[in-house]
Amino acid sequence: MSDTSARITGLDGLRGFASLAVVLYHLTLIARPELSETTWAWLTQSPLKILFPGTESVLVFFALSGLVVALPALRSDFTWTRYYPSRLLRLYLPVFGALILAAVLIIAIPRDPATMPTGTWLRDAQATTVTPVSLLTEASLLRESYDIDNVLWSLRWELFFSLLLPVFVWIAIRFRRASPYLAALAAGATVAGRMLEMDALVYFPVFLLGTIIAINLDGIRAFAQRVHTRMLWPALAVLAGVLLIASWLARPFVENDSGIADVLWGLAGVGAALIVLLVIVWPRLRRGCERPTALWLGKVSFSLYLVHAPILGTLGYLLGREQWWLVCLIGVPVSLAVAAAFYRWAERPSHRLARRVGGYVAQRLEPRTA
């Protein structure tokens, strides 16, 4: 078995940390109305921001998907007839389960939007009612905005990438010899996407960066083994972290609607891809992502990502805006506990079903050999 086909365990831990960071980010949004401007600036415009990046963590997910979803497509036994039904079920079934959970919470615990300040996450990004139409449209993953389960906006892009995977793999293979230039082009494209306010141009290049890593994985590992400068990886880690949150760090000096701010915001995708790359090449970082706690977080990361927003939203309305500190105190353990249960009873069974259906479809559609 080649290195390319081997599972990179540390990436599971990275996914877990990224999911937890999104939870913490949403908690800061709940606390935001009750925090002073000074406190908010201290939290978000300093290196502390690296502990709870929001959309930036989602970009890490996109780079990870570009890598780990593309890797199986490079194996000799891979078939598209097996991939598509399996991948779609792995995405949609947990989404359906999370939406049912969210709908139950919204119906069981009334939400009065008048109790929340205008322009806040609880007011603008959390549904107060659920209808069959809104439930079905969010479940389709084709809407541009989501409020029954706020995080599903990113699953929409995961869906598009999954459907277009043959294109991403073909591009990465076709231009493999020019991979550094292709990666630079992808980095420039995601920056341009921010400047032009084109979401597809922002997110698809981040997936492509992950796919480029997948195509060149063996070469990247071989290069890393030849590197003898111990300070290279820590320096790249600092660079990746700075790029990831550069748009926040620069806010005291740069206008939010300026071109410079857009460039810095676009560089977050480059930082996300660098973080994924570093987990592969830097043993110390990889070992940190392979610790038992990190691997457990990685195991339930998708479930945690799907269920935490409805839970935090419910706690926010149930306890009230003044009790934001209590939402923060109990929101994380409750979200983790529900995620563990959701993984056991919803996500893991859906994965098993997806594998079975994928195998069945492949058996039916693929030509039989004598």
Side-chain angles (χ1 to χ4, degrees):
M1 181 172 64
S2 71
D3 289 341
T4 301
S5 62
R7 184 177 183 85
I8 308 170
T9 310
L11 296 180
D12 295 330
L14 175 61
R15 186 182 293 106
F17 288 136
S19 291
L20 184 59
V22 175
V23 176
L24 297 178
Y25 170 70
H26 285 144
L27 286 175
T28 66
L29 295 185
I30 292 174
R32 174 68 180 97
E34 306 303 317
L35 300 179
S36 68
E37 291 297 327
T38 301
T39 301
W40 182 250
W42 182 72
L43 286 173
T44 62
Q45 296 171 18
S46 74
L48 286 175
K49 180 60 182 173
I50 199 67
L51 300 176
F52 49 90
T55 304
E56 298 86 354
S57 291
V58 174
L59 295 176
V60 174
F61 294 147
F62 289 171
L64 278 169
S65 291
L67 168 60
V68 302
V69 178
L71 276 177
L74 306 180
R75 297 202 303 256
S76 59
D77 61 344
F78 176 85
T79 63
W80 294 108
T81 52
R82 181 188 301 269
Y83 162 77
Y84 274 112
S86 178
R87 179 63 178 167
L88 292 177
L89 286 175
R90 283 173 69 95
L91 283 175
Y92 273 111
L93 290 179
V95 166
F96 295 161
L99 281 170
I100 292 172
L101 172 64
V104 169
L105 290 175
I106 294 170
I107 294 170
I109 301 175
R111 301 177 175 186
D112 181 5
T115 62
M116 298 298 166
T118 302
T120 61
W121 185 69
L122 286 174
R123 174 73 176 263
D124 297 345
Q126 291 291 309
T128 55
T129 59
V130 177
T131 67
V133 172
S134 65
L135 196 64
L136 289 174
T137 55
E138 289 206 13
S140 72
L141 295 180
L142 298 177
R143 287 178 50 163
E144 292 189 5
S145 62
Y146 300 80
D147 55 8
I148 298 175
D149 193 347
N150 179 237
V151 302
L152 294 186
W153 71 268
S154 68
L155 271 296
R156 175 174 179 257
W157 293 104
E158 291 277 1
L159 171 66
F160 293 160
F161 166 70
S162 298
L163 294 174
L164 294 172
L165 180 62
V167 177
F168 284 82
V169 172
W170 181 86
I171 292 174
I173 293 176
R174 175 65 178 80
F175 298 99
R176 183 173 186 173
R177 293 185 178 181
S179 288
Y181 302 103
L182 182 61
L185 181 62
T190 191
V191 172
R194 289 295 183 193
M195 299 180 70
L196 298 172
E197 297 184 349
M198 297 175 59
D199 286 347
L201 195 57
V202 172
Y203 301 130
F204 282 147
V206 180
F207 286 108
L208 180 59
L209 286 171
T211 306
I212 294 171
I213 294 173
I215 298 298
N216 294 279
L217 185 57
D218 289 340
I220 290 170
R221 283 172 162 164
F223 171 79
Q225 291 177 354
R226 295 196 301 268
V227 172
H228 301 294
T229 305
R230 293 184 178 181
M231 291 304 298
L232 176 61
W233 306 133
L236 280 179
V238 172
L239 175 63
V242 169
L243 291 177
L244 193 71
I245 60 171
S247 63
W248 291 90
L249 297 177
R251 290 192 178 191
F253 319 104
V254 177
E255 294 291 333
N256 287 341
D257 57 353
S258 68
I260 296 176
D262 290 336
V263 170
L264 294 176
W265 189 203
L267 289 173
V270 180
L274 274 177
I275 290 172
V276 172
L277 182 64
L278 280 165
V279 173
I280 298 171
V281 300
W282 188 15
R284 180 171 296 181
L285 180 59
R286 183 170 62 251
R287 287 194 296 269
C289 291
E290 290 176 345
R291 293 183 181 276
T293 300
L295 294 180
W296 182 85
L297 277 174
K299 183 174 71 172
V300 303
S301 59
F302 189 38
S303 293
L304 178 62
Y305 185 72
L306 287 176
V307 305
H308 81 272
I311 292 171
L312 298 184
T314 300
L315 290 173
Y317 275 99
L318 179 64
L319 299 174
R321 54 180 290 187
E322 295 82 6
Q323 303 297 319
W324 62 269
W325 59 272
L326 188 55
V327 177
C328 294
L329 186 64
I330 67 177
V332 173
V334 169
S335 295
L336 288 171
V338 175
F342 190 88
Y343 171 79
R344 179 176 180 181
W345 300 110
E347 183 185 351
R348 187 167 62 179
S350 73
H351 289 181
R352 292 172 179 167
L353 179 61
R355 286 194 295 268
R356 292 174 183 173
V357 171
Y360 175 80
V361 172
Q363 187 178 24
R364 288 294 226 175
L365 297 182
E366 291 173 10
R368 297 183 180 181
T369 57

